[in-house]
């Protein structure tokens, strides 16, 4: 197993203002696979994602990140209020060699893929609904054709149908280009639909209390499979503990 | 029916209300003139006549050009230096800690003191007015730019970093639009201040300009002529504000249209 071809973290720990948020995190995500990070809110999931994506240097431990083009979908859409939907997607491409016209046309076609038409592309963020902003933010990430995609509750503000659609879009795009994905979620069904592996973090400080792998290929996971998997996972003791305040099964 | 009439003729346009306000001022002026007589408050009409005389004598145009040069050159220097230093101070704590007390100190110095000092330093040359305007107005621009640069959304900066956006695009797309929302209103105030300080400097230096004209009118104890020069300054200020500042503001704030609390 070559270490170069995986996103990996070893012995990672981090704290804010003396409060430990993450402790002794060991992760290995082979290129092209999908890891889901599950856990209660405030458990350091977002912090871990930022460390894996290189936005935050951990206090302890090491991260190997052999990727060229990482892209983020943040928990908040984080759109520039003074740019249209199209301008915001094109902004994600500002670091590429594309000329302005190409950036804008790629932005436009990516917006169509996430279901925002030409009429919406010219709107400013304050004219868009919460779900539309979320989709613009997803389009911004997909437009850079990332080799590492980091998703922080990317589908959470969308209604069920739309969220399934967007998950499908990410899954197909990832399979086509062999994208490595790390996604943070509190939604078990999202993890079961998309991930090859999942880790469960405990509450503060976040430690890995369970590792799961979902063997069936993502394209073959139908509703019945997802439901059965959720039931199986929710029955695991460590997960029940980690989710106790939120999970009522 | 009556409702429609009012909506159509009065409520319909912002311009109409503005004209109404202006008419009220002229009316009060005329009333004041009738109450206190020609010496204290010449009528609007005799002020206009005096303005006509100034224009006919050929003094008006050179004065306007000189004052515009003094005010705008000082304003330009203040804007460039103030926003550059303010932008840096907003992003760097040591620079901010160093420059902010100096700016506060400079704001505290009365504009007229700058005029006197710059006359002593630069004599009757045009530089005196430019310098006075620049030092009086610069700190106002600096303060606004600092505040703007300091309050740039941390989330947006993280996002730009995550997408490895180059510095140029970072400044143009993340910093500048936010800083401008602080800077543009301050520049409007700064421009109005520039005219006032320029006229003040000219009044004392006697090197031409509207201030010089005001000094002459005072020496001649000609109230109508004094009022005429006042009208010239105000008209200049309004024209530049409407023709330069307002279109710039409109261009950079298109995205605000329809925001809660914003009038379309």
């Amino acid at each position: 197993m070559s270490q170069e071809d995986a996103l990996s973290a070893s012995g990672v720990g981090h704290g804010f203002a003396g409060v430990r948020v993450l402790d002794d995190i060991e992760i290995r995500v082979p290129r092209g696979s999908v890891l889901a990070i599950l856990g209660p809110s405030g458990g350091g999931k977002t912090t871990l994602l930022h460390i894996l994506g290189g936005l935050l240097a951990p206090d302890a431990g090491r991260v190997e990140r052999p990727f060229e083009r990482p892209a983020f979908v943040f928990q908040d859409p984080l759109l520039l209020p003074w740019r249209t939907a199209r301008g915001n997607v094109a902004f994600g491409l500002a670091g590429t060699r594309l000329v302005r016209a190409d950036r804008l046309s790629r932005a436009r076609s990516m917006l169509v893929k996430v279901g925002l038409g030409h009429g919406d592309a010219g709107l400013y963020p304050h004219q868009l609904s919460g779900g539309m902003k979320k989709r613009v933010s997803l389009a911004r990430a997909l437009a850079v054709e990332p080799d590492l995609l980091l998703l922080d509750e990317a589908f959470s503000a969308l209604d069920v149908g739309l969220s399934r659609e967007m998950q499908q879009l990410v899954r197909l795009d990832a399979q086509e280009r062999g994208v490595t994905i790390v996604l943070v979620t509190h939604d078990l069904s999202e993890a079961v639909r998309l991930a090859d592996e999942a880790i469960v973090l405990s509450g503060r400080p976040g430690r890995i209390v369970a590792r799961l792998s979902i063997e069936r290929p993502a394209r073959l996971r139908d509703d019945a499979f997802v439901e059965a998997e959720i039931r199986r996972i929710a029955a695991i003791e460590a997960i029940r503990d980690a989710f106790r305040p939120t999970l009522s099964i | 029916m009556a409702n429609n009439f009012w909506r159509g003729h009065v409520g319909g346009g912002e311009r109409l209300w503005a004209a109404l306000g202006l008419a009220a001022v002229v009316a009060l002026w005329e009333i004041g003139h009738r109450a206190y007589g020609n010496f204290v408050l010449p009528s609007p009409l005799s002020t206009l006549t005096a303005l006509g005389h100034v224009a006919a004598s050929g003094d008006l145009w050179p004065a306007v050009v000189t004052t515009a040069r003094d005010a705008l050159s000082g304003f330009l220097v203040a804007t460039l230096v103030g926003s550059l230093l303010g932008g840096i101070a907003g992003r760097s704590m040591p620079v901010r800690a160093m420059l902010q007390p100096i700016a506060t100190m400079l704001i505290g110095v009365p504009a007229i003191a700058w005029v006197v000092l710059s006359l002593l330093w630069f004599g009757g040359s045009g530089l005196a007015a430019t310098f006075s305007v620049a030092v009086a107005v610069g700190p106002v621009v600096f303060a606004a730019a600092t505040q703007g640069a300091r309050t740039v959304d941390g989330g947006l900066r993280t996002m730009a970093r995550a997408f490895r956006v180059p510095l140029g695009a970072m400044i143009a797309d993340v910093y500048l639009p936010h800083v401008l929302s602080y800077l543009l209103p301050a520049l409007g105030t700064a421009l109005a201040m520039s005219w006032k300080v320029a006229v003040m400097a000219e009044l004392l230096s006697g090197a031409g300009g509207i201030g010089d004209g005001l000094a002459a009118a005072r020496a001649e104890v000609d109230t109508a002529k004094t009022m005429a020069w006042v009208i010239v300054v105000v008209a200049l200020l309004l024209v530049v504000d409407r023709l330069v500042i307002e279109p710039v503001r409109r261009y950079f704030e298109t995205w605000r249209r329809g925001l809660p609390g914003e009038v379309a």
Side-chain angles (χ1 to χ4, degrees):
Chain A
M1 250 190 333
S2 94
Q3 275 297 318
E4 288 87 60
D5 226 25
L7 173 70
S8 67
S10 53
V12 164
H14 196 73
F16 291 112
V19 180
R20 284 206 79 63
V21 182
L22 289 174
D23 206 21
D24 198 26
I25 302 290
E26 300 280 339
I27 291 178
R28 191 164 181 288
V29 194
R31 186 177 286 272
S33 72
V34 182
L35 173 79
I37 303 173
L38 290 159
S41 51
K45 301 192 295 289
T46 294
T47 306
L48 178 56
L49 195 72
H50 283 206
I51 288 173
L52 291 174
L55 288 180
L56 202 64
D59 292 345
R62 249 161 30 93
V63 175
E64 300 279 341
R65 195 183 313 102
F67 295 94
E68 305 269 294
R69 291 186 309 280
F72 268 88
V73 176
F74 296 94
Q75 204 163 1
D76 297 323
L78 296 182
L79 304 179
L80 301 168
W82 38 81
R83 291 280 177 272
T84 58
R86 188 173 51 236
N88 266 290
V89 176
F91 178 72
L93 298 166
T96 62
R97 288 176 180 280
L98 295 173
V99 297
R100 196 179 126 83
D102 289 346
R103 277 182 281 177
L104 286 174
S105 77
R106 202 197 276 192
R108 217 175 328 225
S109 59
M110 197 45 83
L111 281 171
V112 171
K113 274 197 189 172
V114 298
L116 295 175
H118 290 281
D120 302 320
L123 295 178
Y124 289 95
H126 68 82
Q127 295 166 314
L128 301 171
S129 72
M132 288 162 100
K133 283 186 222 175
K134 210 82 201 215
R135 281 185 277 163
V136 174
S137 144
L138 182 62
R140 179 176 58 193
L142 294 180
V144 307
E145 298 189 338
D147 50 3
L148 173 63
L149 183 58
L150 302 136
L151 306 171
D152 194 352
E153 307 273 9
F155 311 104
S156 64
L158 306 170
D159 62 63
V160 181
L162 200 53
S163 131
R164 289 279 292 277
E165 230 175 274
M166 295 299 117
Q167 286 170 16
Q168 182 96 339
L169 179 71
V170 168
R171 188 172 65 74
L172 290 176
D173 187 64
Q175 271 168 0
E176 212 172 285
R177 297 188 299 106
V179 186
T180 309
I181 298 180
V182 180
L183 60 97
V184 158
T185 182
H186 60 254
D187 178 2
L188 268 180
S189 74
E190 186 180 317
V192 170
R193 259 179 243 285
L194 290 176
D196 303 311
E197 309 227 3
I199 55 167
V200 182
L201 293 184
S202 64
R204 223 159 247 186
R207 294 168 204 271
I208 298 178
V209 289
R211 292 175 192 269
L212 314 159
S213 55
I214 298 148
E215 304 291 348
R216 188 185 289 203
R219 68 196 150 81
L220 300 177
R221 296 173 195 168
D222 52 15
D223 286 355
F225 172 80
V226 170
E227 231 169 272
E229 270 305 282
I230 292 176
R231 250 198 304 277
R232 179 179 75 85
I233 292 167
I236 300 171
E237 194 73 32
I239 292 174
R240 293 188 72 91
D241 285 345
F243 277 88
R244 196 171 300 285
T246 48
L247 193 75
S248 47
I249 295 181
Chain B
M1 216 31 201
N3 254 338
N4 278 340
F5 173 85
W6 283 110
R7 214 170 295 146
H9 290 82
V10 182
E14 212 180 309
R15 271 158 210 265
L16 239 143
W17 288 106
L20 208 66
L22 207 63
V25 170
V26 175
L28 278 174
W29 182 356
E30 181 65 34
I31 291 167
H33 160 67
R34 297 207 175 160
Y36 295 104
N38 227 350
F39 179 71
V40 174
L41 195 61
S43 72
L45 196 65
S46 49
T47 302
L48 278 182
T49 318
L51 185 58
H53 286 314
V54 173
S57 71
D59 290 343
L60 180 63
W61 195 240
V64 167
V65 171
T66 305
T67 301
R69 188 199 64 203
D70 289 346
L72 295 181
S73 61
F75 174 71
L76 206 68
V77 172
T79 302
L80 290 179
V81 177
S83 45
L84 189 70
L85 288 182
I88 297 171
R91 298 307 324 157
S92 149
M93 188 280 288
V95 177
R96 179 162 70 245
M98 207 165 71
L99 291 183
Q100 216 153 34
I102 301 177
T104 311
M105 227 163 65
L106 292 184
I107 289 178
V109 177
I112 192 74
W114 286 122
V115 172
V116 173
L117 281 173
S118 63
L119 283 175
L120 292 173
W121 291 337
F122 302 104
S125 71
L127 220 55
T130 302
F131 176 81
S132 313
V133 172
V135 276
V137 169
V140 176
V141 179
F142 170 84
T146 306
Q147 190 62 9
R150 209 169 58 82
T151 52
V152 170
D153 188 327
L156 292 182
R157 280 192 289 132
T158 307
M159 180 275 291
R161 212 151 51 78
F163 283 92
R164 301 186 173 174
V165 167
L167 187 67
M170 184 91 165
I171 290 174
D173 291 336
V174 179
Y175 282 92
L176 205 60
H178 175 82
V179 172
L180 280 178
S181 67
Y182 282 78
L183 203 55
L184 288 177
L187 287 184
T189 315
L191 184 64
M193 217 171 130
S194 300
W195 294 110
K196 293 180 205 176
V197 177
V199 168
M200 218 180 331
E202 289 164 357
L203 189 133
L204 288 187
S205 73
I210 293 171
D212 207 5
L214 269 172
R218 174 179 170 274
E220 295 160 19
V221 204
D222 189 338
T223 320
K225 207 169 162 187
T226 308
M227 302 276 298
W229 283 118
V230 172
I231 285 180
V232 173
V233 184
V234 172
L236 261 178
L237 193 154
L238 282 180
V239 166
V240 174
D241 189 77
R242 292 281 133 177
L243 289 187
V244 182
I245 297 287
E246 193 55 36
V248 172
R249 194 157 21 205
R250 209 167 287 211
Y251 173 78
F252 279 108
E253 311 232 308
T254 326
W255 65 273
R256 279 183 186 275
R257 238 175 267 158
L259 264 185
E262 293 278 335
V263 177

